[in-house]
Amino acid sequence: MLKLFARLAFKNLWRHTRRSLLTVASICCGCAVIIWMQAIIHGRNENMINVITSTYTGHVQIYHPDYLKTKLTSKFITQDQFAKDIAPLLGNTTWTTRQHLPSLISSGEDSVPIQLEGIDPEREAQITNLRDKKIKGEFLNAQESCQNKEVFIGQGLAEVLNVDVGDKLVLLTNASDGTLGNDLFRVQGIFASGSPDFDKGMAFTPIKCTQELALIGGPHEVVLKPSGEGDADSMSAALIPQLPNYKVSTWREAIPSVDTMIRYNDAMLKMITFILFTVITMGLINTILMNLFERTKEFGVILSIGMTPRELQLLIFLECFFLGVLGIFIGTMMGALAIYYHQWTGFDMSPFFGTRTGSEGFTFDMVIRPIFIFGPYLKIIALELCFLIVAGLYPAWKVSKLNPIEVLRS
């Protein structure tokens, strides 16, 4: 019986071909736009996350429990604590250690306050793309001890200090015992991250050098990068109960403004989806009601010869359902083609946001490659089907209330 009603409902759609095609077109265009927008926004979000994590922040960070509150040089993780508590949990995870020293850097003529970062050059290159940002000289060399006092500085800082590769700089910082640590370093290389603030305010040196300069016996921060399909949130959630005596955070806590921007993007997509689907639903209801008005006498006849109101409801509902499924199918194909095209060419957002956008000193790409994710796509399709089902309920209910005798008389 259901098969018979389905065939009849499908045939009824093409009795008014132009009207049906216009309805399908509105559904498929709305579906295609939402699928494409979802991929563009997800691509934008992933680009923002990639920029902040690959430039410096990293995905997951582990700190001494008091470091973030005080930012004191003395609040570091000792080597024994690292070996006992943290190292056994790392497994095959990509990680590195860092030391953070608020410092003063001087070229003799000028002095500038900076953040001096002690890093493991080899491990840092697996977490961030700092080494790839080099424009002059060389990246830092891994050292067992601080034999060569090398510093890697930003282009903006080099311009302020008027120095180049090979020039000497004096670094001064507060040591962990309260004394003043200072030493002479040579500029090993110059980088350009694309962020003027970052380039002027950061300098990097091997972690062995910061240990000697500030008398630090361990890292202030352990930075982790998820492997495979893992993400920062799941890794952080797994580590927090295993490291109750440490502070575990993600890039979301490190750069909250970027997390806010991503949540705003997702919220805007949900709002646009709801508005667009509501407009499509209203248009579909209008189309179905016009169709029913023209077929009122026909409904009176089929009700008078034995079709029940419930069966007539099913027939109208199936007509609406087929319109929706056809529109969703074509819309998915259109959306997939648009996504594929922009994955190849990129989608330039500069006409909408200007030539540069950023946050916390980070500059984000303006040409976005959309990223299609199957889970959100299914949610979009399910939501659109729910809207279309709702669109079919009212016309079906209205038809079921027809009185065959009154219809035939009129």
Side-chain angles (χ1 to χ4, degrees):
M1 181 65 71
L2 182 61
K3 184 177 180 180
L4 175 63
F5 275 88
R7 291 176 59 187
L8 183 59
F10 190 77
K11 288 183 177 181
N12 285 339
L13 293 180
W14 308 112
R15 292 168 60 181
H16 301 280
T17 306
R18 180 179 299 177
R19 184 182 299 161
S20 296
L21 288 177
L22 288 174
T23 305
V24 169
S26 67
I27 296 172
C28 72
C29 287
C31 183
V33 168
I34 293 300
I35 292 173
W36 174 79
M37 282 188 61
Q38 183 272 328
I40 288 290
I41 289 178
H42 190 76
R44 170 71 171 168
N45 292 346
E46 286 297 309
N47 171 255
M48 294 166 65
I49 295 171
N50 182 63
V51 166
I52 64 172
T53 56
S54 64
T55 300
Y56 172 70
T57 307
H59 291 78
V60 178
Q61 305 86 31
I62 303 172
Y63 301 96
H64 183 284
D66 298 325
Y67 176 75
L68 292 179
K69 299 176 184 177
T70 63
K71 295 297 179 75
L72 293 176
T73 304
S74 59
K75 301 299 182 180
F76 57 84
I77 301 169
T78 66
Q79 295 294 350
D80 290 341
Q81 290 173 327
F82 177 81
K84 179 183 177 182
D85 300 333
I86 300 175
L89 303 178
L90 299 180
N92 296 324
T93 303
T94 304
W95 59 273
T96 190
T97 54
R98 295 175 182 163
Q99 291 176 339
H100 309 304
L101 300 179
S103 305
L104 190 70
I105 190 168
S106 174
S107 63
E109 299 178 358
D110 298 290
S111 298
V112 179
I114 61 163
Q115 179 79 359
L116 180 63
E117 296 292 305
I119 62 173
D120 182 330
E122 293 183 353
R123 289 191 175 277
E124 187 71 28
Q126 301 175 31
I127 298 288
T128 66
N129 58 11
L130 183 63
R131 180 169 61 184
D132 301 330
K133 301 296 184 179
K134 171 181 63 67
I135 59 173
K136 284 185 180 181
E138 299 296 332
F139 189 56
L140 301 172
N141 296 305
Q143 302 181 26
E144 292 298 327
S145 62
C146 190
Q147 310 99 326
N148 302 318
K149 294 178 172 59
E150 305 169 349
V151 64
F152 193 57
I153 65 175
Q155 185 179 27
L157 183 59
E159 292 174 353
V160 170
L161 297 174
N162 193 28
V163 295
D164 207 338
V165 174
D167 291 343
K168 299 295 182 68
L169 295 170
V170 176
L171 283 164
L172 299 93
T173 188
N174 288 321
S176 61
D177 62 354
T179 61
L180 184 65
N182 66 90
D183 211 334
L184 194 64
F185 284 74
R186 181 179 61 85
V187 178
Q188 174 76 357
I190 298 174
F191 67 86
S193 67
S195 170
D197 294 339
F198 187 85
D199 292 350
K200 289 180 181 179
M202 304 292 290
F204 299 86
T205 192
I207 196 168
K208 296 295 182 180
C209 294
T210 51
Q211 286 179 354
E212 293 184 10
L213 184 64
L215 304 176
I216 303 174
H220 290 119
E221 178 184 28
V222 182
V223 184
L224 290 75
K225 180 180 181 180
S227 57
E229 297 298 323
D231 58 36
D233 295 327
S234 60
M235 175 179 280
S236 174
L239 287 173
I240 287 174
Q242 300 181 73
L243 296 170
N245 298 322
Y246 298 87
K247 171 61 178 177
V248 181
S249 65
T250 68
W251 61 266
R252 297 182 187 277
E253 290 83 17
I255 313 289
S257 60
V258 175
D259 182 47
T260 300
M261 291 173 65
I262 290 174
R263 294 180 185 275
Y264 175 79
N265 291 341
D266 293 338
M268 285 296 295
L269 176 63
K270 292 177 181 178
M271 183 182 72
I272 293 172
T273 299
F274 180 80
I275 293 173
L276 190 57
F277 284 176
T278 300
V279 173
I280 292 172
T281 300
M282 294 299 102
L284 182 59
I285 291 175
N286 181 61
T287 300
I288 295 296
L289 288 177
M290 288 177 62
N291 192 16
L292 298 185
F293 179 77
E294 295 176 354
R295 297 163 60 192
T296 301
K297 187 162 292 187
E298 172 190 329
F299 293 146
V301 171
I302 59 178
L303 285 171
S304 65
I305 62 176
M307 179 178 283
T308 65
R310 187 172 296 276
E311 289 173 337
L312 184 56
Q313 280 183 322
L314 176 61
L315 179 65
I316 302 304
F317 181 80
L318 286 175
E319 291 180 15
C320 186
F321 178 77
F322 285 142
L323 280 174
V325 169
L326 186 59
I328 289 173
F329 177 76
I330 298 174
T332 298
M333 297 299 103
M334 292 172 60
L337 288 174
I339 292 171
Y340 176 77
Y341 174 75
H342 283 119
Q343 282 178 339
W344 180 49
T345 63
F347 179 69
D348 187 4
M349 302 185 72
S350 58
F352 308 99
F353 294 98
T355 56
R356 293 176 58 189
T357 62
S359 177
E360 300 287 341
F362 296 96
T363 302
F364 305 130
D365 296 340
M366 285 291 95
V367 178
I368 302 300
R369 258 70 180 184
I371 299 175
F372 176 79
I373 300 180
F374 196 68
Y377 162 75
L378 288 180
K379 291 180 181 179
I380 289 173
I381 298 305
L383 180 63
E384 184 160 10
L385 277 176
C386 289
F387 271 78
L388 295 176
I389 287 172
V390 171
L393 291 178
Y394 175 70
W397 172 82
K398 190 172 182 64
V399 167
S400 68
K401 299 300 180 180
L402 292 176
N403 187 319
I405 297 177
E406 292 181 358
V407 169
L408 291 175
R409 285 176 176 174
S410 64

